[in-house]
Structure formats: structure tokens, C-alpha cells
Amino acid sequence: MATFHLNINGKKHQVDVDPNTPVLWVLRDHLNLVGAKYGCGVAQCGACTIHVDDVALRSCILPISQVGNQTITTIEGLSQNGDHPVQKAWLKHDVAQCGYCQAGQIMSAAALLEANSNPTDEEIRTAMTGNICRCGTYVRIKEAIKTAAANS
Ligand code: FES
Ligand code: FES
């Protein structure tokens, strides 16, 4: 066990965990931040996507010991009132079906637009390719990203 000091969604947290613990489980089991979901556990589905210093990463394979002083943002902290341009576009296009993958999809989309405010279809496809949706909401996801890009 070791003590880690984390900056998550603008708040400081302290946790005592094994250094190899994936960030996903620190968030879910120790801090009750359950927006990031467990899908595969091996970086293949994107359900667990968070931002680390504004970069979308798979929290299921990120050991807590590698976070250091970097800031973590989860879906709970993406915006104050669910009003991030990506979240508003998601609502407008009624993207979610079962919803399980959607926090990860939104976090990947938000990171994409942070890095590239006007992505092409191909750039959207490339950025989102690691986020799997078993419900097949891909067409709505792409349209929502385009709407968010136009409104941000
Ligand atoms: S649970 Fe992390 S990528 Fe699937
Ligand atoms: S909305 Fe059901 S898995 Fe994506």
C-alpha cells in the first residue's frame, strides 16, 4: 500500500492503495466516482475513458502510481451542469441507447475537440475507433461530434 494525492475534477483526494491499482478502481471503489465504466479491463472498449491532463486515456490499464501530479477529469467533472458542448450535442442527437459506453464516448469526443476543434469525418473516426458501442450508436455519435464542433 502507498498514499497517493490526486487532483480529480478540481478537487484534491488522498487514497491509500496498492500502487498497481488501476485508476478506474480508485475512482469507482475508493472515491465513488462511478461514471467511468468497466467494460473489458484491457484497453479494448473505451468504457473507462477519462482525461489525464486533457488527454483521453483508458483508466482500466493506468496504474495509480503513474498519475503523479497530472490532473484527472472524469465525466462527473467534465462540466458543472452537464452543459459541455459535447454533452449538449449528445442530448440534441439523443445519442445514448443503453448508455453503458456513453461516458467513455463523451470523454473521447471532448478530448478530440480540445485538440482539434474542427475534425474531419476521418479524424473523428480515428479518434473514436477505440470506443465500442454494442448498441451501435456510431452514426449519432459522429453527428453529435460535428454539432459540438460547430457550437464550441
Ligand atoms: S474497460 Fe477500459 S478499455 Fe474497456
Ligand atoms: S449505448 Fe449501449 S453500449 Fe453504447
Side-chain angles (χ1 to χ4, degrees):
M1 295 285 253
T3 300
F4 295 93
H5 298 275
L6 304 168
N7 183 340
I8 304 172
N9 299 335
K11 292 185 185 158
K12 298 202 182 311
H13 297 272
Q14 178 180 320
V15 291
D16 297 303
V17 293
D18 185 299
N20 293 319
T21 307
V23 170
L24 177 63
W25 300 117
V26 173
L27 294 171
R28 294 184 59 85
D29 290 351
H30 295 267
L31 300 172
N32 198 32
L33 290 166
V34 296
K37 297 292 189 285
Y38 173 75
C40 65
V42 289
Q44 295 295 308
C45 76
C48 65
T49 303
I50 61 170
H51 295 176
V52 179
D53 276 356
D54 293 332
V55 175
L57 292 181
R58 309 300 188 232
S59 62
C60 67
I61 58 158
L62 178 65
I64 192 70
S65 58
Q66 289 187 13
V67 173
N69 293 325
Q70 299 176 100
T71 59
I72 291 174
T73 306
T74 70
I75 188 73
E76 291 91 342
L78 185 63
S79 64
Q80 287 290 320
N81 302 301
D83 54 0
H84 185 283
V86 170
Q87 291 171 302
K88 290 203 281 191
W90 243 245
L91 285 176
K92 179 177 179 189
H93 289 273
D94 203 9
V95 173
Q97 193 160 319
C98 82
Y100 198 83
C101 73
Q102 295 291 325
Q105 305 278 5
I106 289 170
M107 295 307 281
S108 287
L112 165 63
L113 294 181
E114 188 69 31
N116 178 358
S117 61
N118 189 21
T120 64
D121 282 9
E122 183 60 21
E123 287 168 335
I124 292 172
R125 196 191 65 74
T126 299
M128 301 301 293
T129 195
N131 286 81
I132 306 299
C133 176
R134 293 188 64 146
C135 300
T137 62
Y138 300 111
V139 173
R140 294 200 295 276
I141 286 171
K142 189 178 82 174
E143 291 308 311
I145 291 173
K146 285 173 164 291
T147 294
N151 293 336
S152 57

